[in-house]
Short mmCIF file of all heavy atoms in Angstrom, two decimals:
data_model
loop_
_atom_site.label_atom_id
_atom_site.label_comp_id
_atom_site.label_asym_id
_atom_site.label_seq_id
_atom_site.Cartn_x
_atom_site.Cartn_y
_atom_site.Cartn_z
N LYS B 25 -12.50 50.12 96.56
CA LYS B 25 -12.41 49.80 95.14
C LYS B 25 -13.58 48.90 94.68
O LYS B 25 -14.07 48.08 95.44
CB LYS B 25 -11.09 49.08 94.87
CG LYS B 25 -10.78 48.90 93.40
CD LYS B 25 -9.36 48.41 93.24
CE LYS B 25 -9.14 47.67 91.94
NZ LYS B 25 -9.28 48.49 90.74
N GLY B 26 -13.96 49.08 93.43
CA GLY B 26 -15.05 48.29 92.88
C GLY B 26 -14.59 46.95 92.34
O GLY B 26 -13.42 46.77 92.01
N GLY B 27 -15.51 46.02 92.30
CA GLY B 27 -15.25 44.74 91.64
C GLY B 27 -14.26 43.81 92.32
O GLY B 27 -13.73 42.90 91.70
N VAL B 28 -14.03 44.00 93.61
CA VAL B 28 -13.05 43.14 94.28
C VAL B 28 -13.68 41.88 94.89
O VAL B 28 -12.97 40.96 95.28
CB VAL B 28 -12.27 43.90 95.39
CG1 VAL B 28 -11.45 45.03 94.78
CG2 VAL B 28 -13.20 44.43 96.45
N GLY B 29 -15.01 41.87 94.99
CA GLY B 29 -15.66 40.68 95.53
C GLY B 29 -16.53 40.93 96.76
O GLY B 29 -16.83 40.00 97.50
N LYS B 30 -16.99 42.16 96.96
CA LYS B 30 -17.83 42.46 98.12
C LYS B 30 -19.15 41.71 98.07
O LYS B 30 -19.58 41.10 99.04
CB LYS B 30 -18.15 43.97 98.19
CG LYS B 30 -16.97 44.86 98.47
CD LYS B 30 -17.37 46.33 98.48
CE LYS B 30 -17.77 46.85 97.11
NZ LYS B 30 -16.69 46.81 96.12
N THR B 31 -19.82 41.78 96.90
CA THR B 31 -21.14 41.15 96.78
C THR B 31 -21.02 39.63 96.86
O THR B 31 -21.80 38.98 97.57
CB THR B 31 -21.80 41.61 95.47
OG1 THR B 31 -21.93 43.04 95.51
CG2 THR B 31 -23.17 41.00 95.30
N THR B 32 -20.03 39.08 96.17
CA THR B 32 -19.76 37.64 96.24
C THR B 32 -19.55 37.23 97.70
O THR B 32 -20.12 36.24 98.17
CB THR B 32 -18.48 37.31 95.43
OG1 THR B 32 -18.66 37.78 94.09
CG2 THR B 32 -18.19 35.83 95.43
N ASP B 54 -26.16 48.93 97.52
CA ASP B 54 -25.73 49.46 96.23
C ASP B 54 -26.93 50.00 95.46
O ASP B 54 -27.36 49.43 94.45
CB ASP B 54 -25.00 48.37 95.44
CG ASP B 54 -23.97 48.94 94.48
OD1 ASP B 54 -24.07 50.15 94.17
OD2 ASP B 54 -23.09 48.20 94.05
N ALA B 136 -19.14 50.29 95.93
CA ALA B 136 -17.76 50.77 95.82
C ALA B 136 -17.73 52.27 96.10
O ALA B 136 -18.77 52.92 96.16
CB ALA B 136 -17.24 50.47 94.42
N ARG B 194 -9.73 36.61 95.46
CA ARG B 194 -9.12 36.44 94.14
C ARG B 194 -7.62 36.23 94.26
O ARG B 194 -6.84 36.73 93.46
CB ARG B 194 -9.43 37.64 93.24
CG ARG B 194 -10.91 38.01 93.24
CD ARG B 194 -11.29 38.80 92.05
NE ARG B 194 -11.24 37.94 90.87
CZ ARG B 194 -11.85 38.21 89.72
NH1 ARG B 194 -12.56 39.32 89.60
NH2 ARG B 194 -11.76 37.41 88.70
N VAL B 223 -9.54 33.92 100.00
CA VAL B 223 -10.37 33.21 99.03
C VAL B 223 -9.62 33.15 97.70
O VAL B 223 -9.24 34.19 97.16
CB VAL B 223 -11.72 33.94 98.83
CG1 VAL B 223 -12.59 33.18 97.85
CG2 VAL B 223 -12.43 34.13 100.17
N PRO B 224 -9.39 31.94 97.20
CA PRO B 224 -8.63 31.84 95.96
C PRO B 224 -9.42 32.31 94.75
O PRO B 224 -10.66 32.27 94.76
CB PRO B 224 -8.33 30.34 95.86
CG PRO B 224 -9.43 29.68 96.62
CD PRO B 224 -9.80 30.64 97.73
N GLU B 225 -8.73 32.75 93.74
CA GLU B 225 -9.33 33.01 92.44
C GLU B 225 -9.86 31.66 91.95
O GLU B 225 -9.15 30.66 91.97
CB GLU B 225 -8.24 33.54 91.49
CG GLU B 225 -8.63 33.65 90.03
CD GLU B 225 -9.49 34.87 89.76
OE1 GLU B 225 -9.41 35.84 90.54
OE2 GLU B 225 -10.24 34.85 88.77
N SER B 226 -11.13 31.62 91.57
CA SER B 226 -11.69 30.32 91.20
C SER B 226 -12.84 30.44 90.23
O SER B 226 -13.66 31.35 90.31
CB SER B 226 -12.18 29.60 92.47
OG SER B 226 -13.08 28.58 92.15
N VAL B 229 -16.69 30.63 91.39
CA VAL B 229 -17.39 31.86 91.77
C VAL B 229 -18.31 32.32 90.63
O VAL B 229 -19.47 32.66 90.85
CB VAL B 229 -16.39 32.96 92.17
CG1 VAL B 229 -17.09 34.29 92.40
CG2 VAL B 229 -15.62 32.54 93.42
N1 LIG C 4 -12.66 34.43 94.23
C1 LIG C 4 -13.04 34.80 92.99
N2 LIG C 4 -12.62 34.09 91.91
C2 LIG C 4 -13.00 34.46 90.68
N3 LIG C 4 -13.82 35.47 90.40
C3 LIG C 4 -14.28 36.21 91.42
C4 LIG C 4 -13.92 35.92 92.78
N4 LIG C 4 -14.53 36.82 93.59
C5 LIG C 4 -15.24 37.63 92.78
N5 LIG C 4 -15.10 37.29 91.49
C6 LIG C 4 -15.72 37.93 90.31
O1 LIG C 4 -15.37 39.29 90.31
C7 LIG C 4 -16.44 40.08 89.84
C8 LIG C 4 -16.80 41.15 90.86
O2 LIG C 4 -17.27 40.52 92.03
P1 LIG C 4 -18.34 41.23 92.97
O3 LIG C 4 -19.52 41.68 92.19
O4 LIG C 4 -18.56 40.33 94.12
O5 LIG C 4 -17.49 42.48 93.40
P2 LIG C 4 -17.99 43.80 94.16
O6 LIG C 4 -16.85 44.23 95.02
O7 LIG C 4 -19.28 43.57 94.83
O8 LIG C 4 -18.19 44.81 92.95
P3 LIG C 4 -18.88 46.27 93.01
O9 LIG C 4 -17.85 47.16 93.61
O10 LIG C 4 -19.16 46.59 91.59
O11 LIG C 4 -20.10 46.15 93.86
C9 LIG C 4 -17.58 39.14 89.55
O12 LIG C 4 -17.61 38.85 88.19
C10 LIG C 4 -17.23 37.90 90.35
O13 LIG C 4 -17.73 36.74 89.75
#
Side-chain angles (χ1 to χ4, degrees):
Chain B
K25 190 170 156 66
V28 297
K30 294 178 291 297
T31 300
T32 304
D54 208 341
R194 312 201 70 161
V223 181
E225 170 78 24
S226 161
V229 173

